[in-house]
Amino acid sequence: MPTVPVVTPAIILSTLRYGETSKIARIATRDLGVQSAIARGALRPKSRFGAALHLLSEGQAYLILARHGDLHTLTAFDIQVVRVALGERLDRYATASVLGEIMLRFAPPAPHPESYDVLRGALDVIAAAPSSVVDLLGLRLLWQLVCSLGFAPTLDACVRDGRAVPVDRPAGFSTGEGGVLCATCGAMHSGTKLQPSDRSDLMALIDSGTELPLLDDSHLAAHRRLLSRYIRYHLAEGADLPALAFWEQQPWVTP
Ligand SMILES: [Zn+2]
């Protein structure tokens, strides 16, 4: 009996040459989570994959699931969306690369359509974003991806004891605890101090129903650092995140 492939919406997150003619792709799939699959013959001149296995290409993946181990076989990838605009500007590309990197490292190898849909929507938004807002939108979209993976920070009450944290006073922010601290807890922690405006900006960034806050270059940089630190602490566990490191250090507002 021939093995029937599983067909799922998918986005290519990375590819690696394997042997003379094949590639191993890491793929975000809507139905199976992030999976690895070998595309045999993908590097042959007349491969049926053609140019399909490009970074962040979106389409339908045809996967023969491995009976043992976790390396599946990709028998075909029908491209449906090529976001050419992502490759046209470094600011867009850098932001999209971080989204892909976070998905690749932290989405589970099990169905997790929430994060897949956030990633897919985020790539659309970044591809269409004017340069003047790529930086801000990138912060929002990255926070949304982090939240969809289950790591939303607590910003409306103390993350340790749930006490109210007045919105009109500076509040401590603990990366490790994952949120703001009341005065009592804040006194016992050395951490980032969030001014009232920084906290409301952060809340506005994360809430897609709210208008984007207006941030100058130094505040944008501070928010990039806060988010990077948060991702490294909660998700990375010391892993190397080159796309995040690159993104963090750049002012993406084009002069
Ligand atoms: Zn507290």
Side-chain angles (χ1 to χ4, degrees):
M1 202 177 75
T3 314
V4 181
V6 176
V7 186
T8 170
I11 295 169
I12 304 290
L13 297 178
S14 76
T15 63
L16 189 77
R17 190 189 174 109
Y18 184 77
E20 288 297 305
T21 59
S22 298
K23 279 183 170 182
I24 289 178
R26 298 270 282 148
I27 311 169
T29 74
R30 192 164 194 282
D31 300 340
L32 302 165
V34 173
Q35 298 289 346
S36 299
I38 183 162
R40 290 204 173 83
L43 292 169
R44 289 210 178 94
K46 288 182 181 167
S47 159
R48 65 186 176 287
F49 291 102
L53 301 182
H54 271 303
L55 196 63
L56 302 177
S57 289
E58 180 185 338
Q60 294 285 112
Y62 292 70
L63 291 165
I64 306 281
L65 300 185
R67 295 214 179 138
H68 309 285
D70 49 15
L71 183 62
H72 310 301
T73 300
L74 186 69
T75 59
F77 191 84
D78 290 346
I79 287 206
Q80 290 169 330
V81 186
V82 181
R83 297 178 182 88
V84 178
L86 288 180
E88 287 173 348
R89 302 191 54 97
L90 185 58
D91 53 4
R92 288 183 190 147
Y93 187 76
T95 307
S97 299
V98 186
L99 288 160
E101 183 172 79
I102 290 174
M103 195 71 182
L104 175 64
R105 301 296 179 95
F106 312 122
H112 199 260
E114 303 88 342
S115 55
Y116 181 85
D117 291 344
V118 170
L119 172 67
R120 187 174 177 278
L123 293 176
D124 281 342
V125 171
I126 288 297
S131 286
S132 54
V133 292
V134 168
D135 211 351
L136 259 181
L137 274 173
L139 280 164
R140 166 169 285 181
L141 298 167
L142 287 164
W143 271 119
Q144 284 173 351
L145 187 58
V146 167
C147 293
S148 77
L149 291 166
F151 295 92
T154 303
L155 296 172
D156 50 357
C158 178
V159 66
R160 285 177 62 92
D161 55 20
R163 271 192 243 184
V165 182
V167 291
D168 55 352
R169 266 178 271 159
F173 180 87
S174 165
T175 298
E177 303 275 356
V180 291
L181 301 166
C182 67
T184 314
C185 297
M188 296 184 291
H189 269 73
S190 60
T192 311
K193 262 275 186 275
L194 285 183
Q195 295 301 319
S197 61
D198 296 334
R199 184 168 154 215
S200 61
D201 287 343
L202 184 55
M203 289 170 111
L205 273 175
I206 293 175
D207 179 0
S208 60
T210 308
E211 237 178 272
L212 283 165
L214 290 171
L215 301 177
D216 62 20
D217 286 358
S218 70
H219 283 87
L220 280 168
H223 277 280
R224 281 197 301 272
R225 286 194 301 271
L226 182 83
L227 174 58
S228 292
R229 211 161 48 230
Y230 193 86
I231 290 171
R232 285 176 202 288
Y233 186 93
H234 288 278
L235 296 159
E237 292 172 348
D240 200 20
L241 299 173
L244 181 68
F246 184 69
W247 172 82
E248 181 190 351
Q249 285 158 24
Q250 310 297 316
W252 294 114
V253 178
T254 309

